[in-house]
Amino acid sequence: MGAVTALEKLLPVVLAFGCGVLLARRKVVPAESSKVFADYAFLFAVPCYLFGNIYASDLAALFDWRAIGGYAATAACAVVVVGTAARLFGVLDPRGVALRIMAGVQVNTAYFAVPVFIMLFGNAAPIFPVLLFQVCVLSLVVISIMELGRPERTGGPGARLARAVGASLVTPVVLACNAGIVLNLLSVRLPEAVLDSFAFVGDSASPVALFALGLHLGGAGLTLRGTTLEEVWLVGFKCLVFPFMAWAVCRYVFGVEGDWLAYLVLIAAMPAPQNLFIFAQRYDVDVALSAELVVKSSLASLLVLPLWVQWTVHFG
């Protein structure tokens, strides 16, 4: 895929995202309504899209364990790097360290990676294994630290942790993915009308998710003047260092090549997850920093994605 082709494929992403920013800045659509659009995408459209595609996928090809192992190893190395850097920046609260690890290692799948992959490859199924890894491993680690570090004591640590873990595992995205896997493995045949219905709703996931993100960022505003050194480091790590680590570890340590190498590098180059801000609000930890990281990493990711597409073509 050439540079011009990559840019052409990303134009719909920029259009949907930019339209949301423009309408929010001009107050044509209230920025607060981004939550309504985001909830529709995250709670309904994206699960419909993932369920239909996973149900119809070749699971043996989808779960390339060498590729998944390479990505998991990269994420483990990145956790150590970001955690160490957070300590060097003077962050002593374990919850603050966990939040920075989430910003530097986890990726925005539902609102950003899914629509980008649909535009680039016509299919977002390769994101699913990474999505499960994030929910079942990375998010659980962050949730555990956040819950155990809460100042209020509503129940014992085990009870609070169990509630948090249970809540993360029953989100619509995870339930849709698991349902798609189970029905696929059991070879259950669903009526075409049902699959068409899921596809009809799922097709709206990409533009609505990007439009919602644009509304949110347009309402939040963006200023580079007050950007701190820590923000520069975290955004640079997320959009540049982490995908390079994914390329190096997956290719030279795990021997991943071809399409899967490109998928993993581009997934790693996605911005910080939008629920970083939700976690920060819920646990009252570095709320302002989290909002800035979501906004700035999203814009930085849009700028560098075409470069990473070219990188995977020439060095993949």
Side-chain angles (χ1 to χ4, degrees):
M1 185 184 298
V4 175
T5 304
L7 288 173
E8 288 176 349
K9 287 182 174 293
L10 287 173
L11 277 179
V13 175
V14 176
L15 177 62
F17 177 83
C19 183
V21 172
L22 180 63
L23 293 180
R25 294 296 295 270
R26 292 185 173 275
K27 302 188 184 304
V28 176
V29 179
E32 297 77 19
S33 64
S34 65
K35 185 178 186 307
V36 177
F37 289 100
D39 284 346
Y40 166 81
F42 182 70
L43 300 177
F44 186 43
V46 170
C48 286
Y49 175 83
L50 291 175
F51 172 80
N53 279 272
I54 291 168
Y55 170 79
S57 294
D58 179 358
L59 293 184
L62 190 60
F63 283 88
D64 185 316
W65 296 109
R66 185 171 56 175
I68 297 170
Y71 189 89
T74 303
C77 295
V79 166
V80 174
V81 172
V82 176
T84 302
R87 289 291 187 177
L88 294 176
F89 273 104
V91 182
L92 301 179
D93 185 353
R95 296 180 302 162
V97 175
L99 204 68
R100 285 159 175 81
I101 288 174
M102 187 177 184
V105 181
Q106 291 206 40
V107 300
N108 191 329
T109 52
Y111 298 107
F112 208 98
V114 167
V116 167
F117 264 62
I118 292 174
M119 292 300 104
L120 287 177
F121 306 110
N123 187 9
I127 296 170
F128 169 66
V130 174
L131 173 63
L132 273 191
F133 171 70
Q134 283 200 162
V135 172
C136 298
V137 180
L138 295 176
S139 290
L140 290 189
V141 173
V142 173
I143 289 172
S144 301
I145 296 173
M146 292 292 192
E147 282 292 326
L148 296 177
R150 293 181 76 163
E152 65 272 18
R153 301 292 180 181
T154 55
R160 286 186 283 124
L161 182 57
R163 286 197 299 269
V165 171
S168 69
L169 293 179
V170 295
T171 59
V173 170
V174 177
L175 289 177
C177 291
N178 289 333
I181 286 180
V182 171
L183 294 179
N184 185 309
L185 292 175
L186 294 177
S187 299
V188 175
R189 289 190 59 82
L190 295 178
E192 286 297 322
V194 173
L195 295 177
D196 289 343
S197 299
F198 278 111
F200 177 77
V201 175
D203 287 343
S204 69
S206 299
V208 172
L210 287 167
F211 182 72
L213 186 59
L215 282 178
H216 172 74
L217 300 186
L222 178 67
T223 175
L224 299 179
R225 182 171 298 177
T227 302
T228 65
L229 180 61
E230 185 180 27
E231 289 174 12
V232 172
W233 144 249
L234 284 170
V235 172
F237 182 88
K238 181 70 211 63
C239 297
L240 297 174
V241 179
F242 187 43
F244 179 79
M245 289 174 61
W247 171 78
V249 172
C250 293
R251 181 177 183 182
Y252 293 108
V253 179
F254 286 82
V256 180
E257 296 180 345
D259 289 343
W260 263 110
L261 183 60
Y263 296 153
L264 296 177
V265 171
L266 293 178
I267 289 173
M270 297 297 161
Q274 196 170 24
N275 60 358
L276 175 73
F277 180 64
I278 297 173
F279 272 50
Q281 282 186 315
R282 177 177 180 181
Y283 295 105
D284 194 25
V285 179
D286 295 318
V287 177
L289 173 67
S290 299
E292 291 291 318
L293 290 174
V294 171
V295 172
K296 292 172 182 176
S297 66
S298 296
L299 294 178
S301 183
L302 278 176
L303 294 175
V304 302
L305 274 175
L307 302 179
W308 282 118
V309 170
Q310 286 304 294
W311 180 276
T312 58
V313 169
H314 292 290
F315 300 101

